[in-house]
Amino acid sequence: MDVVSPYDELFSTMGYSAIDLVFGINSYKISEKEKRELIKLAKISESNKAIEQQILMIREQDISEPEKKNKLLSLLY
């Protein structure tokens, strides 16, 4: 039996609207590519606690959604 990660389950149940919950970013305001990249970031964070902590710090900052999105996506590169 395959093990399903919590993020796999969340995104398969809620679709892109889970981006709002996980990252605090309105999924309707970002491109399809950015949505896929954020989902990839969420999955990476499951096994990388440093990335997970950085995501939490960015999410809690009082910054605009575009700035938050850019900071989050920069964690992939």
Side-chain angles (χ1 to χ4, degrees):
M1 185 164 93
D2 291 331
V3 177
V4 177
S5 78
Y7 282 126
D8 283 337
E9 191 170 325
L10 181 66
F11 285 110
S12 69
T13 302
M14 297 187 65
Y16 287 142
S17 62
I19 290 172
D20 302 27
L21 291 173
V22 175
F23 297 109
I25 295 174
N26 185 334
S27 62
Y28 292 105
K29 295 182 178 180
I30 60 176
S31 72
E32 185 74 22
K33 180 179 183 231
E34 291 167 333
K35 291 174 188 176
R36 288 192 306 269
E37 289 177 335
L38 287 172
I39 291 170
K40 178 181 175 182
L41 180 62
K43 291 179 181 183
I44 290 170
S45 75
E46 288 179 312
S47 61
N48 186 324
K49 295 302 174 193
I51 295 287
E52 181 181 47
Q53 288 301 316
Q54 289 179 308
I55 290 170
L56 291 173
M57 286 175 31
I58 293 168
R59 184 187 159 108
E60 293 174 1
Q61 291 177 352
D62 187 23
I63 55 178
S64 69
E65 280 193 22
E67 188 177 354
K68 186 181 296 187
K69 175 198 69 178
N70 291 336
K71 284 185 171 196
L72 289 165
L73 291 175
S74 73
L75 297 175
L76 287 171
Y77 307 106

